PDB file of all heavy atoms in Angstrom:
ATOM      1  N   LEU A 450     -17.493 -14.195  86.106  1.00 56.00           N
ATOM      2  CA  LEU A 450     -16.078 -13.856  86.534  1.00 56.00           C
ATOM      3  C   LEU A 450     -15.593 -14.798  87.622  1.00 56.00           C
ATOM      4  O   LEU A 450     -14.733 -14.395  88.498  1.00 56.00           O
ATOM      5  CB  LEU A 450     -16.102 -12.330  87.024  1.00 56.00           C
ATOM      6  CG  LEU A 450     -16.473 -11.346  85.962  1.00 56.00           C
ATOM      7  CD1 LEU A 450     -16.525  -9.939  86.549  1.00 56.00           C
ATOM      8  CD2 LEU A 450     -15.581 -11.437  84.748  1.00 56.00           C
ATOM      9  N   GLY A 451     -16.143 -15.928  87.811  1.00 57.00           N
ATOM     10  CA  GLY A 451     -15.590 -16.883  88.773  1.00 57.00           C
ATOM     11  C   GLY A 451     -16.183 -16.797  90.132  1.00 57.00           C
ATOM     12  O   GLY A 451     -15.786 -17.487  91.012  1.00 57.00           O
ATOM     13  N   ALA A 452     -17.299 -15.963  90.145  1.00 60.00           N
ATOM     14  CA  ALA A 452     -18.010 -15.854  91.507  1.00 60.00           C
ATOM     15  C   ALA A 452     -18.863 -17.048  91.839  1.00 60.00           C
ATOM     16  O   ALA A 452     -19.381 -17.706  90.793  1.00 60.00           O
ATOM     17  CB  ALA A 452     -18.837 -14.534  91.462  1.00 60.00           C
ATOM     18  N   PRO A 453     -18.994 -17.464  93.045  1.00 61.00           N
ATOM     19  CA  PRO A 453     -19.811 -18.790  93.291  1.00 61.00           C
ATOM     20  C   PRO A 453     -21.203 -18.517  92.923  1.00 61.00           C
ATOM     21  O   PRO A 453     -22.039 -19.479  92.690  1.00 61.00           O
ATOM     22  CB  PRO A 453     -19.725 -18.766  94.900  1.00 61.00           C
ATOM     23  CG  PRO A 453     -19.223 -17.538  95.382  1.00 61.00           C
ATOM     24  CD  PRO A 453     -18.473 -16.813  94.231  1.00 61.00           C
ATOM     25  N   VAL A 454     -21.826 -17.233  93.012  1.00 67.00           N
ATOM     26  CA  VAL A 454     -23.170 -16.974  92.528  1.00 67.00           C
ATOM     27  C   VAL A 454     -23.117 -15.847  91.469  1.00 67.00           C
ATOM     28  O   VAL A 454     -22.293 -15.047  91.470  1.00 67.00           O
ATOM     29  CB  VAL A 454     -24.069 -16.541  93.685  1.00 67.00           C
ATOM     30  CG1 VAL A 454     -24.173 -17.705  94.736  1.00 67.00           C
ATOM     31  CG2 VAL A 454     -23.425 -15.289  94.482  1.00 67.00           C
ATOM     32  N   PRO A 455     -24.170 -15.934  90.564  1.00 77.00           N
ATOM     33  CA  PRO A 455     -24.197 -14.803  89.676  1.00 77.00           C
ATOM     34  C   PRO A 455     -24.464 -13.463  90.252  1.00 77.00           C
ATOM     35  O   PRO A 455     -25.356 -13.296  91.075  1.00 77.00           O
ATOM     36  CB  PRO A 455     -25.327 -15.237  88.623  1.00 77.00           C
ATOM     37  CG  PRO A 455     -26.132 -16.210  89.452  1.00 77.00           C
ATOM     38  CD  PRO A 455     -25.202 -16.861  90.428  1.00 77.00           C
ATOM     39  N   LEU A 456     -23.682 -12.492  89.913  1.00 83.00           N
ATOM     40  CA  LEU A 456     -23.776 -11.200  90.505  1.00 83.00           C
ATOM     41  C   LEU A 456     -24.389 -10.136  89.402  1.00 83.00           C
ATOM     42  O   LEU A 456     -24.312 -10.412  88.296  1.00 83.00           O
ATOM     43  CB  LEU A 456     -22.407 -10.653  90.997  1.00 83.00           C
ATOM     44  CG  LEU A 456     -21.637 -11.479  91.926  1.00 83.00           C
ATOM     45  CD1 LEU A 456     -20.289 -10.822  92.208  1.00 83.00           C
ATOM     46  CD2 LEU A 456     -22.461 -11.758  93.222  1.00 83.00           C
ATOM     47  N   ALA A 457     -25.026  -9.153  90.042  1.00 86.00           N
ATOM     48  CA  ALA A 457     -25.480  -8.097  89.164  1.00 86.00           C
ATOM     49  C   ALA A 457     -24.804  -6.685  89.653  1.00 86.00           C
ATOM     50  O   ALA A 457     -24.535  -6.530  90.748  1.00 86.00           O
ATOM     51  CB  ALA A 457     -26.988  -7.929  89.383  1.00 86.00           C
ATOM     52  N   TYR A 458     -24.481  -5.958  88.661  1.00 85.00           N
ATOM     53  CA  TYR A 458     -23.690  -4.716  88.939  1.00 85.00           C
ATOM     54  C   TYR A 458     -24.616  -3.516  88.770  1.00 85.00           C
ATOM     55  O   TYR A 458     -25.441  -3.514  87.877  1.00 85.00           O
ATOM     56  CB  TYR A 458     -22.497  -4.606  88.060  1.00 85.00           C
ATOM     57  CG  TYR A 458     -21.446  -5.624  88.194  1.00 85.00           C
ATOM     58  CD1 TYR A 458     -21.497  -6.793  87.727  1.00 85.00           C
ATOM     59  CD2 TYR A 458     -20.330  -5.246  89.062  1.00 85.00           C
ATOM     60  CE1 TYR A 458     -20.510  -7.695  87.922  1.00 85.00           C
ATOM     61  CE2 TYR A 458     -19.412  -6.188  89.326  1.00 85.00           C
ATOM     62  CZ  TYR A 458     -19.411  -7.435  88.771  1.00 85.00           C
ATOM     63  OH  TYR A 458     -18.408  -8.380  89.006  1.00 85.00           O
ATOM     64  N   VAL A 459     -24.610  -2.746  89.855  1.00 89.00           N
ATOM     65  CA  VAL A 459     -25.444  -1.548  89.940  1.00 89.00           C
ATOM     66  C   VAL A 459     -24.731  -0.210  89.390  1.00 89.00           C
ATOM     67  O   VAL A 459     -23.636   0.026  89.800  1.00 89.00           O
ATOM     68  CB  VAL A 459     -25.983  -1.307  91.311  1.00 89.00           C
ATOM     69  CG1 VAL A 459     -26.970  -0.102  91.248  1.00 89.00           C
ATOM     70  CG2 VAL A 459     -26.688  -2.494  91.858  1.00 89.00           C
ATOM     71  N   LEU A 460     -25.284   0.416  88.342  1.00 86.00           N
ATOM     72  CA  LEU A 460     -24.576   1.504  87.658  1.00 86.00           C
ATOM     73  C   LEU A 460     -25.341   2.800  87.874  1.00 86.00           C
ATOM     74  O   LEU A 460     -26.668   2.776  87.947  1.00 86.00           O
ATOM     75  CB  LEU A 460     -24.279   1.129  86.146  1.00 86.00           C
ATOM     76  CG  LEU A 460     -23.723  -0.149  85.844  1.00 86.00           C
ATOM     77  CD1 LEU A 460     -23.654  -0.262  84.302  1.00 86.00           C
ATOM     78  CD2 LEU A 460     -22.366  -0.270  86.422  1.00 86.00           C
ATOM     79  N   ASP A 461     -24.657   3.857  87.942  1.00 85.00           N
ATOM     80  CA  ASP A 461     -25.297   5.215  87.833  1.00 85.00           C
ATOM     81  C   ASP A 461     -24.654   5.879  86.792  1.00 85.00           C
ATOM     82  O   ASP A 461     -23.609   6.537  86.791  1.00 85.00           O
ATOM     83  CB  ASP A 461     -24.940   5.965  89.334  1.00 85.00           C
ATOM     84  CG  ASP A 461     -25.660   7.352  89.190  1.00 85.00           C
ATOM     85  OD1 ASP A 461     -26.548   7.671  88.286  1.00 85.00           O
ATOM     86  OD2 ASP A 461     -25.273   8.077  89.965  1.00 85.00           O
ATOM     87  N   GLY A 462     -25.251   5.739  85.487  1.00 78.00           N
ATOM     88  CA  GLY A 462     -24.593   6.185  84.335  1.00 78.00           C
ATOM     89  C   GLY A 462     -23.390   5.358  83.946  1.00 78.00           C
ATOM     90  O   GLY A 462     -23.520   4.124  84.155  1.00 78.00           O
ATOM     91  N   PRO A 463     -22.252   5.840  83.734  1.00 72.00           N
ATOM     92  CA  PRO A 463     -20.983   5.154  83.386  1.00 72.00           C
ATOM     93  C   PRO A 463     -20.401   4.744  84.655  1.00 72.00           C
ATOM     94  O   PRO A 463     -19.486   3.841  84.667  1.00 72.00           O
ATOM     95  CB  PRO A 463     -20.212   6.029  82.667  1.00 72.00           C
ATOM     96  CG  PRO A 463     -20.676   7.397  83.007  1.00 72.00           C
ATOM     97  CD  PRO A 463     -22.077   7.289  83.322  1.00 72.00           C
ATOM     98  N   ARG A 464     -20.632   5.212  85.987  1.00 80.00           N
ATOM     99  CA  ARG A 464     -20.139   4.939  87.203  1.00 80.00           C
ATOM    100  C   ARG A 464     -20.704   3.697  87.825  1.00 80.00           C
ATOM    101  O   ARG A 464     -21.891   3.555  87.809  1.00 80.00           O
ATOM    102  CB  ARG A 464     -20.308   6.146  88.168  1.00 80.00           C
ATOM    103  CG  ARG A 464     -19.511   6.011  89.368  1.00 80.00           C
ATOM    104  CD  ARG A 464     -19.433   7.366  90.064  1.00 80.00           C
ATOM    105  NE  ARG A 464     -20.814   7.793  90.376  1.00 80.00           N
ATOM    106  CZ  ARG A 464     -21.299   7.685  91.670  1.00 80.00           C
ATOM    107  NH1 ARG A 464     -20.557   7.243  92.580  1.00 80.00           N
ATOM    108  NH2 ARG A 464     -22.501   8.202  91.909  1.00 80.00           N
ATOM    109  N   ILE A 465     -19.786   2.854  88.273  1.00 81.00           N
ATOM    110  CA  ILE A 465     -20.238   1.491  88.985  1.00 81.00           C
ATOM    111  C   ILE A 465     -20.392   1.889  90.341  1.00 81.00           C
ATOM    112  O   ILE A 465     -19.409   2.146  91.118  1.00 81.00           O
ATOM    113  CB  ILE A 465     -19.121   0.438  88.710  1.00 81.00           C
ATOM    114  CG1 ILE A 465     -18.962   0.143  87.143  1.00 81.00           C
ATOM    115  CG2 ILE A 465     -19.508  -0.838  89.360  1.00 81.00           C
ATOM    116  CD1 ILE A 465     -17.844  -0.767  86.818  1.00 81.00           C
ATOM    117  N   LEU A 466     -21.561   1.648  90.975  1.00 86.00           N
ATOM    118  CA  LEU A 466     -21.736   1.867  92.364  1.00 86.00           C
ATOM    119  C   LEU A 466     -21.373   0.625  93.151  1.00 86.00           C
ATOM    120  O   LEU A 466     -21.058   0.877  94.364  1.00 86.00           O
ATOM    121  CB  LEU A 466     -23.261   2.067  92.608  1.00 86.00           C
ATOM    122  CG  LEU A 466     -23.894   3.352  91.816  1.00 86.00           C
ATOM    123  CD1 LEU A 466     -25.304   3.476  92.165  1.00 86.00           C
ATOM    124  CD2 LEU A 466     -23.097   4.633  92.236  1.00 86.00           C
ATOM    125  N   GLY A 467     -21.552  -0.610  92.648  1.00 85.00           N
ATOM    126  CA  GLY A 467     -21.182  -1.847  93.292  1.00 85.00           C
ATOM    127  C   GLY A 467     -21.856  -2.969  92.752  1.00 85.00           C
ATOM    128  O   GLY A 467     -22.598  -2.917  91.737  1.00 85.00           O
ATOM    129  N   TRP A 468     -21.748  -4.161  93.423  1.00 84.00           N
ATOM    130  CA  TRP A 468     -22.312  -5.310  92.977  1.00 84.00           C
ATOM    131  C   TRP A 468     -23.441  -5.820  93.947  1.00 84.00           C
ATOM    132  O   TRP A 468     -23.212  -5.411  95.179  1.00 84.00           O
ATOM    133  CB  TRP A 468     -21.356  -6.539  92.674  1.00 84.00           C
ATOM    134  CG  TRP A 468     -20.449  -6.838  93.784  1.00 84.00           C
ATOM    135  CD1 TRP A 468     -19.167  -6.354  94.033  1.00 84.00           C
ATOM    136  CD2 TRP A 468     -20.703  -7.728  94.799  1.00 84.00           C
ATOM    137  NE1 TRP A 468     -18.670  -6.705  95.207  1.00 84.00           N
ATOM    138  CE2 TRP A 468     -19.689  -7.767  95.652  1.00 84.00           C
ATOM    139  CE3 TRP A 468     -21.807  -8.526  95.202  1.00 84.00           C
ATOM    140  CZ2 TRP A 468     -19.513  -8.532  96.801  1.00 84.00           C
ATOM    141  CZ3 TRP A 468     -21.668  -9.377  96.374  1.00 84.00           C
ATOM    142  CH2 TRP A 468     -20.560  -9.356  97.091  1.00 84.00           C
ATOM    143  N   ALA A 469     -24.352  -6.450  93.529  1.00 89.00           N
ATOM    144  CA  ALA A 469     -25.447  -7.005  94.376  1.00 89.00           C
ATOM    145  C   ALA A 469     -25.638  -8.465  94.082  1.00 89.00           C
ATOM    146  O   ALA A 469     -25.502  -8.977  93.034  1.00 89.00           O
ATOM    147  CB  ALA A 469     -26.805  -6.321  94.108  1.00 89.00           C
ATOM    148  N   ALA A 470     -25.840  -9.219  95.137  1.00 88.00           N
ATOM    149  CA  ALA A 470     -25.914 -10.574  95.108  1.00 88.00           C
ATOM    150  C   ALA A 470     -27.423 -11.033  95.184  1.00 88.00           C
ATOM    151  O   ALA A 470     -28.211 -10.333  95.838  1.00 88.00           O
ATOM    152  CB  ALA A 470     -25.228 -11.334  96.211  1.00 88.00           C
ATOM    153  N   PRO A 471     -27.862 -12.230  94.728  1.00 91.00           N
ATOM    154  CA  PRO A 471     -29.219 -12.707  94.933  1.00 91.00           C
ATOM    155  C   PRO A 471     -29.617 -12.773  96.394  1.00 91.00           C
ATOM    156  O   PRO A 471     -28.835 -13.197  97.197  1.00 91.00           O
ATOM    157  CB  PRO A 471     -29.225 -14.120  94.218  1.00 91.00           C
ATOM    158  CG  PRO A 471     -28.004 -13.973  93.200  1.00 91.00           C
ATOM    159  CD  PRO A 471     -27.101 -13.171  93.874  1.00 91.00           C
ATOM    160  N   GLU A 472     -30.802 -12.273  96.706  1.00 90.00           N
ATOM    161  CA  GLU A 472     -31.271 -12.161  98.164  1.00 90.00           C
ATOM    162  C   GLU A 472     -31.436 -13.685  98.590  1.00 90.00           C
ATOM    163  O   GLU A 472     -31.889 -14.610  97.999  1.00 90.00           O
ATOM    164  CB  GLU A 472     -32.581 -11.523  98.109  1.00 90.00           C
ATOM    165  CG  GLU A 472     -33.259 -11.495  99.478  1.00 90.00           C
ATOM    166  CD  GLU A 472     -32.479 -10.544 100.578  1.00 90.00           C
ATOM    167  OE1 GLU A 472     -31.195 -10.559 100.557  1.00 90.00           O
ATOM    168  OE2 GLU A 472     -33.232  -9.719 101.083  1.00 90.00           O
ATOM    169  N   HIS A 473     -30.801 -13.904  99.771  1.00 88.00           N
ATOM    170  CA  HIS A 473     -30.861 -15.199 100.486  1.00 88.00           C
ATOM    171  C   HIS A 473     -32.174 -15.286 101.331  1.00 88.00           C
ATOM    172  O   HIS A 473     -32.609 -14.300 102.044  1.00 88.00           O
ATOM    173  CB  HIS A 473     -29.658 -15.388 101.400  1.00 88.00           C
ATOM    174  CG  HIS A 473     -29.709 -16.808 101.969  1.00 88.00           C
ATOM    175  ND1 HIS A 473     -29.435 -17.955 101.374  1.00 88.00           N
ATOM    176  CD2 HIS A 473     -29.887 -17.154 103.276  1.00 88.00           C
ATOM    177  CE1 HIS A 473     -29.543 -18.976 102.090  1.00 88.00           C
ATOM    178  NE2 HIS A 473     -29.756 -18.533 103.389  1.00 88.00           N
ATOM    179  N   THR A 474     -32.820 -16.517 101.239  1.00 89.00           N
ATOM    180  CA  THR A 474     -34.123 -16.682 102.022  1.00 89.00           C
ATOM    181  C   THR A 474     -33.805 -17.603 103.171  1.00 89.00           C
ATOM    182  O   THR A 474     -33.210 -18.688 103.062  1.00 89.00           O
ATOM    183  CB  THR A 474     -35.115 -17.345 101.233  1.00 89.00           C
ATOM    184  OG1 THR A 474     -35.367 -16.489 100.021  1.00 89.00           O
ATOM    185  CG2 THR A 474     -36.422 -17.559 101.963  1.00 89.00           C
ATOM    186  N   TYR A 475     -34.102 -17.200 104.448  1.00 89.00           N
ATOM    187  CA  TYR A 475     -33.799 -17.895 105.736  1.00 89.00           C
ATOM    188  C   TYR A 475     -34.978 -18.661 106.148  1.00 89.00           C
ATOM    189  O   TYR A 475     -36.176 -18.122 105.889  1.00 89.00           O
ATOM    190  CB  TYR A 475     -33.262 -16.895 106.800  1.00 89.00           C
ATOM    191  CG  TYR A 475     -32.032 -16.257 106.534  1.00 89.00           C
ATOM    192  CD1 TYR A 475     -32.003 -15.055 105.752  1.00 89.00           C
ATOM    193  CD2 TYR A 475     -30.766 -16.865 106.730  1.00 89.00           C
ATOM    194  CE1 TYR A 475     -30.802 -14.360 105.429  1.00 89.00           C
ATOM    195  CE2 TYR A 475     -29.519 -16.234 106.432  1.00 89.00           C
ATOM    196  CZ  TYR A 475     -29.591 -14.946 105.910  1.00 89.00           C
ATOM    197  OH  TYR A 475     -28.410 -14.432 105.462  1.00 89.00           O
ATOM    198  N   HIS A 476     -34.895 -19.593 106.825  1.00 90.00           N
ATOM    199  CA  HIS A 476     -35.954 -20.379 107.495  1.00 90.00           C
ATOM    200  C   HIS A 476     -36.572 -19.383 108.656  1.00 90.00           C
ATOM    201  O   HIS A 476     -35.883 -18.613 109.157  1.00 90.00           O
ATOM    202  CB  HIS A 476     -35.361 -21.665 108.161  1.00 90.00           C
ATOM    203  CG  HIS A 476     -36.560 -22.502 108.612  1.00 90.00           C
ATOM    204  ND1 HIS A 476     -37.053 -22.459 109.922  1.00 90.00           N
ATOM    205  CD2 HIS A 476     -37.328 -23.494 107.969  1.00 90.00           C
ATOM    206  CE1 HIS A 476     -38.005 -23.343 110.052  1.00 90.00           C
ATOM    207  NE2 HIS A 476     -38.226 -23.966 108.898  1.00 90.00           N
TER     208      HIS A 476
END
Side-chain angles (χ1 to χ4, degrees):
L450 298 178
V454 293
L456 304 177
Y458 291 85
V459 182
L460 310 178
D461 183 14
R464 188 164 62 100
I465 304 175
L466 300 180
W468 56 267
E472 178 74 310
H473 181 71
T474 302
Y475 297 90
H476 188 270

